[in-house]
Amino acid sequence: MTQNNDIKDIVGTVSHMKKRGTLKILLIALAVGITLFFIGSTVISDDKEDEKQNDEVTELIGFFDYKELMEKEIEGLCSSVSGVKSVKAVVFFSEVGGSLYAQNTQSGSTGNDKTEYVIIGSGTNAHALYLGESLPTLSGIGVACDTGGNEDTRNELLCLLSATYGLPMTRIYVSELE
């Protein structure tokens, strides 16, 4: 019985609003609210996409800054060798580096390891535990210097760079600067 009274009250209120013209205003406000909701969610998703692209650009700029820093460091190190004045260095990387996340690895009895990311938070706030950024992996060095044609200077630079950066001498090339 109460439901019938509630329905009659709602119908009475709507018809009263219709007579006063407030029903149109309510419907217009509802339409504007729904429109703003969808526009707002589109803007937020576009912002997230822009943020992701900005992170990728920042990571790329960071890579080139690191590459340039390594080359300058190698040039400074090589120029400290007796007889070497002008030096130009180029570095090569096998991996660019990237974000590091905590992982949990469990060894299975059959030798199958199961690795999963460590997740913190719950529901919509759940995310992998971020540890930081890994540096690019140095895989080769090329050096050109004014005395690079001298066998003694070449050997000294090969030994110096190999010991400093942990690369085999076969991954380092030294030549004379023209």
Side-chain angles (χ1 to χ4, degrees):
M1 198 68 160
T2 6
Q3 288 180 344
N4 286 338
N5 287 339
D6 288 342
I7 293 173
K8 286 179 184 177
D9 288 342
I10 292 172
V11 170
T13 304
V14 169
S15 63
H16 182 67
M17 289 174 75
K18 202 175 190 182
K19 287 179 189 174
R20 293 181 59 201
T22 54
L23 182 61
K24 288 181 184 176
I25 294 172
L26 180 64
L27 291 175
I28 290 171
L30 181 64
V32 168
I34 290 172
T35 303
L36 288 175
F37 174 77
F38 285 113
I39 289 173
S41 65
T42 303
V43 169
I44 289 172
S45 68
D46 287 347
D47 287 347
K48 287 182 180 178
E49 190 64 34
D50 289 344
E51 190 176 302
K52 181 180 177 186
Q53 288 175 346
N54 287 341
D55 287 347
E56 290 171 358
V57 169
T58 302
E59 189 174 301
L60 193 58
I61 290 170
F63 168 76
F64 286 113
D65 288 343
Y66 180 72
K67 182 180 185 314
E68 185 178 332
L69 179 73
M70 288 290 294
E71 290 170 349
K72 296 287 182 208
E73 180 180 287
I74 290 168
E75 289 170 2
L77 187 62
C78 291
S79 64
S80 68
V81 172
S82 177
V84 177
K85 293 183 179 115
S86 297
V87 180
K88 188 69 181 153
V90 178
V91 294
F92 302 95
F93 298 102
S94 60
E95 294 179 19
V96 176
S99 301
L100 294 174
Y101 293 93
Q103 294 181 344
N104 184 16
T105 303
Q106 297 176 346
S107 298
S109 58
T110 60
N112 295 338
D113 292 344
K114 181 180 178 184
T115 302
E116 27 180 64
Y117 288 105
V118 175
I119 305 296
I120 56 175
S122 62
T124 58
N125 292 326
H127 60 280
L129 179 59
Y130 176 76
L131 299 176
E133 296 293 318
S134 67
L135 295 175
T137 304
L138 185 64
S139 63
I141 301 172
V143 173
C145 64
D146 53 352
T147 55
N150 180 313
E151 194 64 33
D152 291 337
T153 303
R154 181 182 291 128
N155 286 335
E156 192 167 343
L157 290 173
L158 285 170
C159 289
L160 176 66
L161 294 172
S162 178
T164 303
Y165 296 103
L167 290 175
M169 289 185 192
T170 57
R171 301 296 301 162
I172 303 167
Y173 185 77
V174 179
S175 70
E176 190 163 3
L177 187 63
E178 292 183 7

